[in-house]
């Protein structure tokens, strides 16, 4: 496959799994096109042109030409300079690696991570939260995330990829949405009744089994094993965790149990205050589900994959 084809395929998979639906995503893309057209001068020259077809700032081709031929890749959850060097070293040893694929974002994916957080209010609106309340609850957190990333070294790993001439990209929100879609259906089909049952059901998934072996498997964060699951909300996609103001809105919309990758203390406290149960599924293991489904599709096209950096490979097709 061409590098550009891989990039566009991952984005399209993300759109297909986007909780907002393809029609809504197309509306967002059309608005982005119009915003880009209105720019002038240096702002227009330096603008991110991919926003006209890619709604995910945290899924980007960071280095490499679109027409470069890719036959193999090295994929990991967290990719740094070390993993780029690893890809180059594997190639030197005879294991050809044409592309390094990260899950967690780099470059513009980090600096504009708040852009993809706009998914979250629309998710809550689908659950019954008035959209104005949902957006208001997220506003402070999105600003916090936006300015909280400014001290980062945004191009460190990309610079290493460029020096080694190793194509490099990241796939964050598409993998989140694909994994969230998978787990939502899985839990709906199995329908665990207690939090203890929910943990046991999660442990039937290979990625969580591997996480359990290293002490990072699913756990009940708020509640007890006998607690009733009730209305479940798989809280994966949308950039990063929401602020604590989101929790009362979800509680009033009828959510009883949140299934998420991880949860900071301030959100945990808000869930306790609102009487919401929380099950932590696991971070890298949950990330691995979406990335696995992406790699399944790429391997159908003849791409060979190597894995590293917290990524548990499990094939489903």
């Amino acid at each position: 496959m061409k590098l550009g084809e891989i990039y566009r395929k991952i984005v399209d998979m993300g759109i297909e799994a986007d909780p907002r639906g393809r029609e809504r995503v197309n509306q967002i893309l059309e608005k982005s096109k119009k915003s880009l057209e209105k720019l002038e001068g240096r702002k227009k020259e330096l603008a991110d042109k991919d926003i006209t077809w890619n709604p995910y700032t945290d899924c980007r081709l960071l280095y490499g030409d679109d027409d470069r031929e890719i036959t193999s890749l090295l994929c990991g959850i967290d990719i740094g300079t070390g993993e780029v060097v690893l890809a180059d070293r594997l190639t030197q040893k005879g294991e050809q690696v044409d592309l390094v694929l990260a899950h967690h974002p780099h470059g513009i994916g980090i600096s504009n991570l708040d852009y993809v957080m706009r998914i979250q209010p629309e998710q809550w609106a689908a659950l019954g939260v008035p959209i104005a309340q949902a957006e208001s609850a997220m506003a402070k957190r999105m600003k916090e995330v936006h300015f909280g990333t400014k001290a980062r070294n945004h191009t460190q790993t990309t610079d290493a990829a460029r020096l080694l001439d190793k194509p490099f990209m990241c796939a964050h929100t598409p993998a989140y949405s694909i994994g969230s879609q998978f787990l939502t259906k899985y839990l709906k089909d199995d329908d665990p009744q207690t939090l203890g049952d929910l943990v046991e059901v999660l442990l039937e998934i290979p990625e969580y089994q591997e996480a359990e072996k290293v002490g990072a498997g699913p756990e009940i964060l708020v509640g007890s094993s006998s607690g009733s699951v009730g209305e479940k909300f798989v809280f994966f996609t949308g950039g990063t965790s929401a602020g604590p103001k989101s929790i009362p809105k979800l509680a009033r919309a009828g959510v009883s149990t949140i299934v998420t990758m991880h949860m900071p203390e301030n959100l945990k406290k808000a869930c306790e205050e609102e009487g919401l149960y929380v099950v932590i599924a696991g971070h890298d293991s949950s990330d691995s589900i979406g990335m696995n489904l992406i790699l399944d599709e790429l391997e159908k096209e003849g791409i060979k994959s190597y894995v590293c950096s917290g990524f548990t490979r499990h094939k489903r097709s």
Side-chain angles (χ1 to χ4, degrees):
M1 292 180 76
K2 302 289 188 183
L3 183 55
E5 292 173 341
I6 292 173
Y7 179 24
R8 286 181 176 271
K9 184 174 186 64
I10 293 174
V11 169
D12 193 61
M13 288 179 70
I15 293 172
E16 189 64 30
D18 196 302
R20 296 170 295 188
R22 188 175 286 271
E23 183 178 349
R24 173 61 181 143
V25 171
N26 286 338
Q27 291 173 353
I28 292 167
L29 291 173
E30 190 60 36
K31 185 176 180 180
S32 295
K33 290 176 188 175
K34 291 179 180 178
S35 297
L36 185 64
E37 289 168 0
K38 290 178 182 178
L39 294 177
E40 296 180 351
R42 194 70 74 190
K43 279 283 188 181
K44 187 163 190 174
E45 177 188 337
L46 300 174
D48 175 23
K49 307 302 191 298
D50 289 9
I51 62 170
T52 61
W53 63 272
N54 175 1
Y56 312 115
T57 50
D58 56 353
C59 180
R60 279 294 184 274
L61 175 52
L62 300 157
Y63 172 72
D65 295 327
D66 281 359
D67 61 355
R68 192 152 172 173
E69 195 67 42
I70 304 297
T71 61
S72 60
L73 60 82
L74 175 68
C75 183
I77 302 302
D78 293 296
I79 295 293
T81 297
E83 284 74 27
V84 176
V85 174
L86 173 61
D88 190 61
R89 185 76 182 103
L90 284 168
T91 298
Q92 289 175 351
K93 294 187 71 173
E95 300 291 342
Q96 181 67 32
V97 176
D98 301 320
L99 166 67
V100 180
L101 174 61
H103 169 59
H104 286 140
H106 293 259
I108 194 171
I110 283 291
S111 59
N112 283 345
L113 187 62
D114 55 301
Y115 182 85
V116 295
M117 292 175 72
R118 298 175 187 182
I119 292 174
Q120 295 187 40
E122 296 199 42
Q123 269 189 296
W124 307 343
L127 294 171
V129 179
I131 188 64
Q133 292 184 24
E135 290 176 346
S136 296
M138 276 294 290
K140 182 179 178 181
R141 174 61 175 154
M142 288 171 66
K143 190 172 183 179
E144 175 184 284
V145 168
H146 181 78
F147 286 102
T149 65
K150 296 307 174 186
R152 289 183 180 240
N153 186 331
H154 293 100
T155 66
Q156 183 176 25
T157 306
T158 306
D159 290 342
R162 183 177 294 106
L163 284 168
L164 290 171
D165 191 30
K166 192 66 67 176
F168 179 41
M169 68 172 295
C170 57
H172 194 225
T173 289
Y176 272 169
S177 295
I178 292 164
S180 179
Q181 184 184 66
F182 171 89
L183 194 58
T184 297
K185 183 180 185 303
Y186 178 83
L187 293 177
K188 182 178 180 181
D189 291 344
D190 207 286
D191 196 25
Q193 296 301 298
T194 69
L195 298 183
D197 293 339
L198 176 51
V199 169
E200 289 301 314
V201 165
L202 290 174
L203 283 171
E204 294 299 315
I205 296 174
E207 290 87 344
Y208 295 133
Q209 291 174 10
E210 292 302 312
E212 182 72 11
K213 292 176 184 178
V214 296
E219 292 187 58
I220 298 168
L221 180 67
V222 180
S224 66
S225 60
S226 62
S228 299
V229 173
E231 184 66 31
K232 302 177 289 293
F233 177 47
V234 177
F235 201 173
F236 279 13
T237 196
T240 187
S241 60
K245 288 185 177 180
S246 64
I247 301 303
K249 307 299 181 186
L250 293 172
R252 284 157 183 70
V255 172
S256 293
T257 300
I258 292 175
V259 181
T260 189
M261 297 182 185
H262 50 80
M263 181 173 281
E265 184 62 28
N266 61 345
L267 261 69
K268 173 180 176 285
K269 183 178 179 181
C271 287
E272 290 171 337
E273 290 174 351
E274 291 295 330
L276 266 69
Y277 292 145
V278 181
V279 170
I280 299 297
H283 190 184
D284 292 350
S285 48
S286 297
D287 289 340
S288 292
I289 293 173
M291 294 303 291
N292 273 320
L293 291 165
I294 287 171
L295 257 60
D296 284 349
E297 293 303 308
L298 295 181
E299 288 185 359
K300 289 177 184 176
E301 301 293 332
I303 304 295
K304 183 178 181 179
S305 62
Y306 302 88
V307 300
C308 66
S309 188
F311 178 31
T312 297
R313 181 73 178 112
H314 174 71
K315 299 182 182 181
R316 290 185 166 83
S317 62

